[in-house]
Amino acid sequence: MMADLYVGLVHYPVYNKNMDIIASSVTNLDIHDIARACRTYDVKKYYIIHPLDAQKELIKKIIGFWQTGYGYRYNPDRFEALNRVCWKNSLESVTEEIKAITEKNPYIVGTDAGTWPNMVSYGFLRAKLKDDRPILLLFGTGSGIEKQTMEKFDYILEPIYGREYNHLSVRSAVAIILDRILGETWWEK
Amino acid sequence: MMADLYVGLVHYPVYNKNMDIIASSVTNLDIHDIARACRTYDVKKYYIIHPLDAQKELIKKIIGFWQTGYGYRYNPDRFEALNRVCWKNSLESVTEEIKAITEKNPYIVGTDAGTWPNMVSYGFLRAKLKDDRPILLLFGTGSGIEKQTMEKFDYILEPIYGREYNHLSVRSAVAIILDRILGETWWEK
């Protein structure tokens, strides 16, 4: 038995480099790379969270290319990955959808390069996946999710430390974190 | 004491979808995302291996933007990451350079989604990093590095299994593999 994991990429409210609160742009590659990682680790849905309806149309256009005609024939695998991608206009509407799907209240888990009072380890989250509550794992774009929003989350996952300062793209961070919490236990071999 | 790790992204000889041997194109995002992962895990150099001189110019142009003027002022961190990126026209010239830098013969380690007779675990490679020989870790673009070339490598790293079929982009695979062999031992917490 494993709880269902959901991933959300937050485009609003996030900080820009000057720590202003903005809505960041959706990018083609964030959709593809993260969808493929979600497919690899059997994440149930990958939500792209952006307040503007126009971004919904862009996402539909990008996904549509791979789900019909030439794109589908060229790479049918991509269809499988992109099938899990879904636009929502707010964090609230994501949690509402997960509640409707699972009939359970999801744990909301943030990720960040900094440390927080409710910070938890990767081992803690691996164990939490054996609970019967779904988990919504959130990643920020830009310079990270706005502080007051972060403070409402149930847990914040420990940073990826690496060997030096963390320079990872959000795409690489998602891949590493999914591997740490859902990957095979390669260290036991 | 840790051995030096080098990463190479192989654009030739690789397979396309029809299993023809081709030289794949260099992409902007493979340069950036992998350079940032290499910087995070203190990889010494990130070699982009492509036989065409024209690709060298493209790489120099992309890197140059972030190393001077506007790009540098906008994001000085990126300079640090891209500083480790280096074009070479063949695998042989990469190993020659590593020999010249380290005065040692590097272990050549391939990565693949399939299994090989000389396949090794992540734990094996973590331990190998305590040897005094440098390691060159190679990733294929397209549909993977040509078989006869792979057969010459000292070791092939075990695949990333994930929970379903591996759909990862090469960028995500590099991030996960560097984390598994160079990341902090988060599973011991």
Side-chain angles (χ1 to χ4, degrees):
Chain A
M1 254 317 276
M2 278 274 297
D4 289 341
L5 189 87
Y6 296 83
V7 161
L9 185 65
V10 179
H11 288 275
Y12 176 85
V14 297
Y15 295 110
N16 69 5
K17 277 181 186 292
N18 304 320
M19 299 302 274
D20 307 316
I21 295 168
I22 55 150
S24 65
S25 299
V26 170
T27 76
N28 184 27
L29 218 89
D30 284 347
I31 300 178
H32 279 266
D33 270 22
I34 296 174
R36 293 167 69 183
C38 286
R39 172 86 172 98
T40 302
Y41 291 95
D42 195 23
V43 168
K44 294 306 163 196
K45 276 198 177 190
Y46 161 32
Y47 294 103
I48 297 175
I49 303 159
H50 196 292
L52 292 186
D53 267 18
Q55 298 283 313
K56 177 183 180 176
E57 294 311 312
L58 173 70
I59 294 164
K60 274 167 89 172
K61 206 171 148 189
I62 291 170
I63 295 174
F65 173 78
W66 296 97
Q67 294 191 313
T68 54
Y70 175 75
Y72 180 73
R73 287 193 304 279
Y74 182 74
N75 192 346
D77 273 355
R78 199 56 62 88
F79 169 82
E80 284 290 325
L82 292 176
N83 242 350
R84 303 185 185 209
V85 181
C86 180
W87 169 84
K88 287 283 169 195
N89 68 357
S90 68
L91 257 172
E92 290 68 29
S93 57
V94 171
T95 51
E96 283 314 310
E97 178 165 302
I98 296 173
K99 277 183 203 170
I101 296 171
T102 64
E103 297 179 337
K104 280 165 196 159
N105 201 19
Y107 289 114
I108 301 184
V109 181
T111 56
D112 196 54
T115 57
W116 294 77
N118 57 341
M119 193 170 83
V120 295
S121 70
Y122 294 90
F124 176 90
L125 206 59
R126 270 189 105 92
K128 217 66 189 155
L129 280 165
K130 289 172 189 145
D131 277 15
D132 67 349
R133 270 175 67 183
I135 292 174
L136 170 60
L137 185 62
L138 296 169
F139 295 87
T141 56
S143 297
I145 301 171
E146 184 239 356
K147 192 165 177 277
Q148 285 184 303
T149 305
M150 290 286 284
E151 284 170 350
K152 291 181 207 147
F153 298 165
D154 297 303
Y155 305 111
I156 311 281
L157 199 49
E158 193 175 12
I160 297 168
Y161 294 106
R163 301 214 151 235
E164 300 201 341
Y165 178 74
N166 178 341
H167 287 262
L168 297 168
S169 69
V170 68
R171 298 169 290 281
S172 297
V174 171
I176 291 168
I177 289 174
L178 290 181
D179 187 59
R180 287 188 181 185
I181 62 176
L182 294 164
E184 65 270 17
T185 55
W186 57 266
W187 58 88
E188 287 175 356
K189 287 191 187 175
Chain B
M1 252 320 274
M2 280 273 299
D4 289 340
L5 189 87
Y6 296 83
V7 161
L9 185 65
V10 179
H11 288 275
Y12 176 87
V14 297
Y15 296 110
N16 67 6
K17 277 181 185 292
N18 304 319
M19 298 303 275
D20 308 316
I21 295 169
I22 56 151
S24 65
S25 299
V26 170
T27 75
N28 183 27
L29 219 89
D30 285 347
I31 299 178
H32 280 266
D33 270 22
I34 297 174
R36 292 167 69 183
C38 287
R39 171 87 173 99
T40 302
Y41 291 95
D42 196 22
V43 167
K44 294 306 164 198
K45 276 197 177 192
Y46 162 33
Y47 293 103
I48 297 175
I49 303 160
H50 197 292
L52 293 185
D53 268 16
Q55 299 283 315
K56 177 183 181 178
E57 294 311 312
L58 173 69
I59 294 164
K60 275 169 89 172
K61 206 172 146 188
I62 291 170
I63 296 175
F65 173 76
W66 296 97
Q67 294 191 314
T68 53
Y70 175 75
Y72 181 71
R73 284 193 306 276
Y74 181 74
N75 191 345
D77 273 356
R78 199 56 62 86
F79 170 83
E80 283 290 323
L82 292 175
N83 242 352
R84 305 185 184 209
V85 181
C86 180
W87 169 84
K88 287 284 168 193
N89 68 357
S90 68
L91 257 173
E92 291 68 30
S93 57
V94 171
T95 52
E96 284 314 311
E97 177 165 302
I98 296 172
K99 277 183 203 169
I101 295 171
T102 64
E103 297 179 336
K104 281 165 195 158
N105 202 17
Y107 290 114
I108 301 183
V109 181
T111 56
D112 197 53
T115 57
W116 295 77
N118 57 342
M119 192 170 83
V120 295
S121 70
Y122 293 90
F124 176 90
L125 206 58
R126 268 190 105 94
K128 216 67 186 155
L129 280 165
K130 290 174 188 145
D131 278 16
D132 67 348
R133 270 175 67 181
I135 293 175
L136 171 60
L137 184 62
L138 295 169
F139 295 87
T141 57
S143 296
I145 301 169
E146 183 237 359
K147 192 165 176 280
Q148 285 184 303
T149 305
M150 289 286 284
E151 284 169 350
K152 291 180 206 148
F153 298 164
D154 297 302
Y155 305 110
I156 312 282
L157 198 50
E158 193 175 9
I160 296 168
Y161 295 105
R163 300 213 153 235
E164 300 202 339
Y165 178 73
N166 178 342
H167 286 262
L168 297 169
S169 69
V170 68
R171 297 170 290 281
S172 297
V174 172
I176 291 168
I177 290 174
L178 290 181
D179 187 60
R180 287 189 181 185
I181 62 177
L182 294 164
E184 66 269 18
T185 55
W186 57 266
W187 59 90
E188 289 175 354
K189 287 189 190 179

